[in-house]
Amino acid sequence: MIGRSGNPTLRDSSFDRPDSYSGMQQMTIEGTVNKAFITLIILLGSAFSTWMLYFDGYSVGGMAVAGAIIGMILALIVSFVPRTSPYLVPLYAIAEGMFLGAISATYETLYNGIILQAALLTMAVFLALLLAYKTRLIKATENFKLGVFAATAGVALVYLASFILGFFGINIPYLHSNDWIGIGISLVIVVIAALNLVLDFDFIENGAQRGAPKYMEWYGAFGLMVTLVWLYLELVRLLAKLASRD
């Protein structure tokens, strides 16, 4: 599932058979940007609706669980069958928005103002890395891809181990703590999540250059959204750790 692009949802093997794309409309960077914007609007609309329900006194725990499960299933389908992305990516955005809205509202209740800070930081990191990529200050070389891939896989394994061990009442030291080691770990994970944006930019650019089919615009937008959601959640966790020390 995890290809050389580094992002678990984007695989360079999607471009292995360019001859089969003959006669089809081709993927463009502009088209992918438009699809990413549409996906973001849908996700934010779903998140805001869940957010409002929470602060209106409704229980949204079930929505969070349902959104997480449905979002994961849809993400797996899109990752393995990119042709489904024009139909499933909007549904993924709705499900992920339900999850994010519930999680964000919960954190906002605990730490007032944390969600706006996380959202602004996510936007700032995105714009900074986009500028760095466009000006070639950061290049997605093969070694860079390999390093980000290894780091991303390492984080995924740690989170998986933490999830499994949690059923037995075992916590991985420092991963969730708010001491300076725990904060340092969260900061490293934020950096890894941010660097995946560079791989997303490279994947989208390569797809447009290699004449990928039009539906790959939704696929590229999906991968970009997955990374942005991960980055946002890690920034919320980091800010929560810092706020809890006050």
Side-chain angles (χ1 to χ4, degrees):
M1 177 177 169
I2 302 179
R4 290 171 61 195
S5 70
N7 188 322
T9 61
L10 299 180
R11 296 172 293 120
D12 286 345
S13 59
S14 304
F15 305 135
D16 284 349
R17 292 177 290 106
D19 292 340
S20 64
Y21 306 149
S22 177
M24 299 178 64
Q25 284 188 304
Q26 294 185 350
M27 172 185 183
T28 65
I29 293 177
E30 181 181 1
T32 306
V33 171
N34 292 337
K35 303 302 189 299
F37 183 74
I38 294 171
T39 304
L40 179 61
I41 292 299
I42 295 173
L43 187 147
L44 290 178
S46 176
F48 182 73
S49 298
T50 308
W51 171 287
M52 292 301 296
L53 287 174
Y54 178 91
F55 285 105
D56 283 342
Y58 292 93
S59 175
V60 295
M63 295 179 65
V65 174
I69 294 174
I70 295 172
M72 182 179 298
I73 293 173
L74 292 175
L76 288 172
I77 296 174
V78 172
S79 298
F80 284 107
V81 190
R83 286 182 179 272
T84 63
S85 54
Y87 315 103
L88 298 187
V89 170
L91 297 178
Y92 163 82
I94 294 173
E96 197 68 13
M98 292 165 53
F99 170 72
L100 283 183
I103 293 297
S104 298
T106 302
Y107 271 104
E108 183 68 16
T109 301
L110 296 173
Y111 310 106
N112 185 43
I114 190 175
I115 297 306
L116 178 59
Q117 295 174 30
L120 291 176
L121 282 173
T122 301
M123 185 183 304
V125 171
F126 172 80
L127 293 176
L129 285 176
L130 179 59
L131 178 61
Y133 178 78
K134 294 296 290 184
T135 58
R136 295 301 186 255
L137 290 176
I138 297 179
K139 297 181 180 179
T141 64
E142 289 304 314
N143 287 335
F144 180 89
K145 292 179 183 180
L146 180 61
V148 175
F149 162 74
T152 303
V155 171
L157 289 175
V158 170
Y159 277 156
L160 178 61
S162 176
F163 177 76
I164 295 174
L165 292 175
F167 288 107
F168 303 97
I170 302 174
N171 294 319
I172 295 180
Y174 304 115
L175 183 60
H176 304 293
S177 64
N178 67 346
D179 57 19
W180 288 113
I181 296 179
I183 290 172
I185 291 174
S186 286
L187 185 58
V188 170
I189 296 175
V190 165
V191 171
I192 294 171
L195 291 178
N196 271 271
L197 287 172
V198 177
L199 304 187
D200 296 336
F201 300 150
D202 181 70
F203 182 90
I204 293 169
E205 186 175 57
N206 283 338
Q209 290 176 348
R210 296 165 70 172
K214 196 70 174 177
Y215 67 79
M216 290 297 288
E217 292 177 351
W218 283 105
Y219 188 57
F222 163 71
L224 188 61
M225 203 55 51
V226 169
T227 302
L228 285 173
V229 168
W230 179 29
L231 175 60
Y232 166 78
L233 288 174
E234 293 299 343
L235 284 169
V236 170
R237 281 169 44 83
L238 174 59
L239 292 172
K241 287 183 178 183
L242 292 170
S244 65
R245 291 180 59 85
D246 295 341

